[in-house]
Amino acid sequence: MPATDTFGRPLRDLRISVTDRCNFRCVYCMPKEVFGRDYQFLARRELLTFEEIERLARVFAGHGVEKIRLTGGEPLVRRDLPVLVRLLAETAGVNDLSLTTNGVLLDRLAQPLVEAGLRRLNVSLDSLSHVRFAEITRRDALDRVLAGLEEAERYPELRPIKVNCVAMRGFTEVEVPALAELARRKPYVVRFIEFMPLDADESWRGDDVLSGAEIRALIEKCWPLEEIPAKASSTARRFRFADGAGEIGFINPVSEPFCSSCDRIRLTADGQLRTCLFSRKEWDLKTPLRNGASDEELERLLRFAVAHKELKHKINEPGFVRASRSMSQIGG
Ligand code: SAM
């Protein structure tokens, strides 16, 4: 029986953050670096081990989880990640294992990840211009990300490859034609995600959100789109180009919230369960795990946490209070 919350939404999808560290400093996510004062990352001992993650994944799979996505921080900076991928790929009940990455280490890791059982990949990419890529990520690494994508393309097991772009007003508009063209030219589904108030610098303002509808209108100036019906639990609205060349997606959590069909929970790198990206409360699983809790105790904790899942995020409501951590610390 899947764990279900008080609003009747079943649990199906688990996002696991394997580290809060990242080799990028994207403006919409990570804090700006200040010379001599580095961001405080979790200590190694705070991170769940692969065995601890596998155990929780197995317990969760017994209570509805079918899909697992590995994320971070940047998941590829966690040493030996393919070892974890293999453990999770072999977890009974998990039939969809995917990874979200900035792509910069993919040129080296795509092959071992596929060999370990990875079958789906999301790569974040906000600009195809070197200068603007560096502006947004605070790193000069566009060529390595494109090389990583090329490497991923060599493995037909990894399909579809999704390319995620955070849409920010005043930045993304000029990127739209080139990114749409990428979706037409390559086997990538390019998806635009509305900017959410999860940036570490806390500079998000409602006006910074460039909505999916606005981007769609920009694309349709060049190429008409047709909507593809999506599953009810899907976060993305999917569109194909009317001439049949590729697919585009829009993830519109701010302008069209999809909380009513949310089937996701998140496990942070330090073993805290979050039932919403915007949660102010976390459920500590690491302490019981390390204190010898039985599977039954962990199951009880999971079901209790899921039962208390938030109805919805309140980004658009007066008095909205930001989440207790920023995106890279939660795991997007
Ligand atoms: N480092 C990996 C990556 O770049 O994909 C995985 C972690 S990253 C936090 C996961 C996703 O969250 C990325 O697609 C990123 O663009 C997105 N993201 C981060 N901050 C966001 C924000 N404030 N609003 C919307 N999406 C955000």
Side-chain angles (χ1 to χ4, degrees), residues 5 61 75 92 95 104-105 117 119 126 132 162 181 205 213 217 227 229 243 256:
D5 65 40
N95 54 35
V104 79
L105 297 174
R119 291 295 172 263
D126 302 304
R132 291 166 57 78
K162 294 183 182 166
E181 202 265 327
R205 298 288 170 270
E227 187 147 14
D243 64 5
E256 296 178 65

Side-chain angles (χ1 to χ4, degrees), residues 245-260:
E247 185 178 325
I248 289 277
F250 299 101
I251 302 176
N252 302 336
V254 184
S255 67
E256 296 178 65
F258 33 80
C259 307
S260 62

Side-chain angles (χ1 to χ4, degrees), residues 21-24 26-30 70-75 100-103 122-126 164-167 193-200 204 253 327-329 331-332:
R21 288 175 189 264
C22 190
N23 37 17
F24 284 7
C26 299
V27 296
Y28 48 73
C29 185
M30 298 281 291
L70 295 176
T71 183
E74 171 47 41
T100 298
T101 173
N102 61 29
N122 288 4
V123 178
S124 302
L125 176 60
D126 302 304
N164 290 340
C165 168
V166 176
I193 308 176
E194 288 174 351
F195 179 30
M196 292 179 277
L198 290 163
D199 55 316
W204 181 95
M327 189 67 129
S328 66
Q329 300 167 320

Side-chain angles (χ1 to χ4, degrees), residues 62-280:
H63 291 266
V65 167
E66 303 164 351
K67 296 167 69 170
I68 292 184
R69 170 174 299 282
L70 295 176
T71 183
E74 171 47 41
L76 300 190
V77 304
R78 176 90 186 241
R79 196 180 305 157
D80 298 327
L81 190 74
V83 173
L84 177 65
V85 167
R86 188 174 298 282
L87 290 173
L88 296 175
E90 288 167 359
T91 300
V94 175
N95 54 35
D96 184 346
L97 179 62
S98 57
L99 172 84
T100 298
T101 173
N102 61 29
V104 79
L105 297 174
L106 259 186
D107 53 348
R108 284 183 243 162
L109 285 168
Q111 181 173 355
L113 288 167
V114 171
E115 284 171 358
L118 188 74
R119 291 295 172 263
R120 287 207 301 121
L121 187 67
N122 288 4
V123 178
S124 302
L125 176 60
D126 302 304
S127 172
L128 291 168
S129 132
H130 289 87
V131 171
R132 291 166 57 78
F133 180 94
E135 227 175 85
I136 205 96
T137 61
R138 298 168 173 140
R139 295 290 184 270
D140 178 12
L142 175 60
D143 288 338
R144 287 207 54 199
V145 174
L146 294 175
L149 274 164
E150 290 281 337
E151 175 63 13
E153 253 184 78
R154 291 183 50 228
Y155 303 92
E157 299 92 329
L158 282 183
R159 291 293 185 278
I161 296 172
K162 294 183 182 166
V163 170
N164 290 340
C165 168
V166 176
M168 300 174 76
R169 188 177 305 287
F171 182 88
T172 307
E173 294 90 331
V174 296
E175 305 293 335
V176 169
L179 288 164
E181 202 265 327
L182 187 72
R184 294 174 59 77
R185 190 161 45 84
K186 291 283 199 177
Y188 311 154
V189 177
V190 173
R191 307 186 317 162
F192 295 92
I193 308 176
E194 288 174 351
F195 179 30
M196 292 179 277
L198 290 163
D199 55 316
D201 287 337
E202 302 199 4
S203 69
W204 181 95
R205 298 288 170 270
D207 291 346
D208 300 332
V209 180
L210 180 66
S211 72
E214 290 172 277
I215 296 177
R216 184 179 159 194
L218 290 174
I219 296 175
E220 293 207 286
K221 280 188 188 163
C222 310
W223 301 288
L225 296 172
E226 291 169 351
E227 187 147 14
I228 307 170
K231 278 192 264 168
S233 63
S234 170
T235 52
R237 284 185 65 185
R238 301 171 55 197
F239 290 81
R240 67 168 79 85
F241 291 95
D243 64 5
E247 185 178 325
I248 289 277
F250 299 101
I251 302 176
N252 302 336
V254 184
S255 67
E256 296 178 65
F258 33 80
C259 307
S260 62
S261 59
C262 178
D263 57 4
R264 280 170 293 286
I265 54 168
R266 289 180 157 79
L267 182 64
T268 65
D270 55 346
Q272 307 296 306
L273 189 68
R274 296 178 64 95
T275 48
C276 174
L277 256 182
F278 293 92
S279 291
R280 304 269 311 154

